[in-house]
Amino acid sequence: MDRLVHEIEQAAREAGAIIRSAHGTELGIENKEGRANFVTKYDTMVQEFLTERLRNILPEARFLGEENGMDLFTSEDAEGYLFVIDPIDGTTNFIHNLHPHVTSIGLFKDGQPWAGVVYAPVTDQLFSAQRGEGAYENGVRIHSSRQGLSDNIMLTGTSGFSMSAFAVSQKLTYAFQERCQGFRSTGSAEYNLCMIASGRAGGYFEMKLGLWDFAAGSVILEEAGGRITDYHGRPLTYREGSGIVALCEGIAADENLPDTGAYWDMWDGK
Ligand code: 2AM
Ligand code: CA
């Protein structure tokens, strides 16, 4: 793996140390737009820390992040290097001192994800991947499950932002339920993708995510032999947030899965 990726890993570990130090302190919780959407002073602090730290590592890179006001992909982002950062993915967990909450750093090259680093500070798990170089957990190569649905646990999103998305997700969960070993929900999209990449879970779907919620994990999952698409099975555009369906190698090969696209079409988009 490129030295650049190892430097990003180090930056993610340092961000994680800031997050670990937060417990027992005043978090400075504020409401953002919409339902169950919070930001704390640590989200902002870690975003600022990473922006400066990563700028030193790769001065020519542009930045897109959840907490820095630069959250729209522009035409200039489609060329060269672009960091797509979520300082804390799983902020609601973080607020409740619940694992997982992770720092995630995606690095795009010419508009496509090229490397991803996800660090879970509570469990000291570092996931990373570089396009064409495989995926790793704490330096050990990982691969997604080659087993089918009946031998896997599935993960579901929380869809805290929308009751109508929650209702459709519940229906899709029901459709998968009888064929898998049941569902879990972690509250962090990036961590979910790493759980599939490392063979612990078989799949995950969520109807609305920010680009920073899957920018890093998508490379990690694909490098671990898994697949990530929209609900209709199409490749992601990586130009904005979207709904995602993420599957391990074994489940991606199943031709009789519930039709996620049909469920997507039931959602009013609100
Ligand atoms: P966050 O913790 O960075 O906000 C939970 O299933 C996942 O959904 C988390 O990764 C969470 O990211 C994300 N999420 C929470 N609220 C969201 C919203 N309003 N829009 C998109 N994604 C959201
Ligand atoms: Ca976040």
Side-chain angles (χ1 to χ4, degrees), residues 37 66 86 88-91 157-158 161 187-189 206 208-210 213:
N37 199 7
E66 178 161 28
D86 193 348
I88 305 180
D89 185 46
T91 296
T158 55
F161 57 89
S188 162
E206 180 124 29
K208 183 181 162 198
L209 290 171
D213 293 325

Side-chain angles (χ1 to χ4, degrees), residues 82-97:
L82 171 74
F83 281 114
V84 183
I85 297 173
D86 193 348
I88 305 180
D89 185 46
T91 296
T92 312
N93 283 349
F94 170 69
I95 289 169
H96 293 279
N97 196 8

Side-chain angles (χ1 to χ4, degrees), residues 168 231-232 258-267:
V168 175
Y231 272 61
H232 292 283
D259 179 358
T260 50
Y263 287 86
W264 176 265
D265 294 339
M266 291 177 195
W267 184 34

Side-chain angles (χ1 to χ4, degrees), residues 13-267:
R13 283 187 182 281
E14 290 167 19
I18 300 175
I19 295 168
R20 265 195 305 265
S21 76
H23 297 298
T25 73
E26 171 58 46
L27 301 183
I29 303 161
E30 285 174 36
N31 266 304
K32 292 203 293 185
E33 201 183 320
R35 289 189 80 252
N37 199 7
F38 303 107
V39 63
T40 72
K41 70 178 187 198
Y42 283 93
D43 296 79
T44 318
M45 199 190 298
V46 173
Q47 178 94 43
E48 283 168 4
F49 165 78
L50 283 175
T51 307
E52 188 175 328
R53 187 71 172 70
L54 296 170
R55 196 165 271 149
N56 281 331
I57 293 173
L58 194 58
E60 67 268 39
R62 299 174 61 81
F63 283 84
L64 192 148
E66 178 161 28
E67 315 295 353
N68 66 354
M70 289 189 289
D71 51 5
L72 282 183
F73 194 100
T74 67
S75 56
E76 289 159 44
D77 294 333
E79 276 171 40
Y81 285 112
L82 171 74
F83 281 114
V84 183
I85 297 173
D86 193 348
I88 305 180
D89 185 46
T91 296
T92 312
N93 283 349
F94 170 69
I95 289 169
H96 293 279
N97 196 8
L98 194 63
H99 170 74
H101 45 271
V102 305
T103 287
S104 83
I105 305 169
L107 181 58
F108 284 29
K109 216 181 210 177
D110 296 330
Q112 290 298 313
W114 177 74
V117 172
V118 173
Y119 182 59
V122 176
T123 46
D124 191 28
Q125 289 169 293
L126 184 85
F127 299 92
S128 54
Q130 179 188 328
R131 187 71 67 207
E133 300 290 326
Y136 293 83
E137 176 180 343
N138 292 344
V140 178
R141 187 85 180 241
I142 51 175
H143 199 282
S144 70
S145 169
R146 294 180 174 89
Q147 310 273 60
L149 259 183
S150 59
D151 290 306
N152 268 295
I153 284 174
M154 294 287 286
L155 301 171
T156 179
T158 55
S159 299
F161 57 89
S162 158
M163 289 308 289
S164 60
F166 182 71
V168 175
S169 286
Q170 292 291 93
K171 288 197 177 83
L172 183 53
T173 301
Y174 191 92
F176 271 99
Q177 173 76 7
E178 68 172 345
R179 294 195 43 210
C180 69
Q181 294 182 346
F183 274 82
R184 306 288 186 270
S185 186
T186 76
S188 162
E190 292 282 17
Y191 193 75
N192 288 348
L193 296 174
C194 294
M195 291 302 97
I196 304 168
S198 57
R200 294 173 170 99
Y204 161 56
F205 44 83
E206 180 124 29
M207 305 201 77
K208 183 181 162 198
L209 290 171
L211 187 52
W212 45 82
D213 293 325
F214 55 83
S218 61
V219 193
I220 297 170
L221 177 60
E222 288 186 336
E223 284 300 316
R227 185 175 81 194
I228 181 166
T229 64
D230 71 8
Y231 272 61
H232 292 283
R234 297 177 298 226
L236 301 177
T237 64
Y238 295 105
R239 292 295 178 270
E240 57 188 355
S242 66
I244 65 159
V245 177
L247 301 172
C248 67
E249 184 176 304
I251 299 177
D254 186 333
E255 287 172 5
N256 293 308
L257 294 177
D259 179 358
T260 50
Y263 287 86
W264 176 265
D265 294 339
M266 291 177 195
W267 184 34

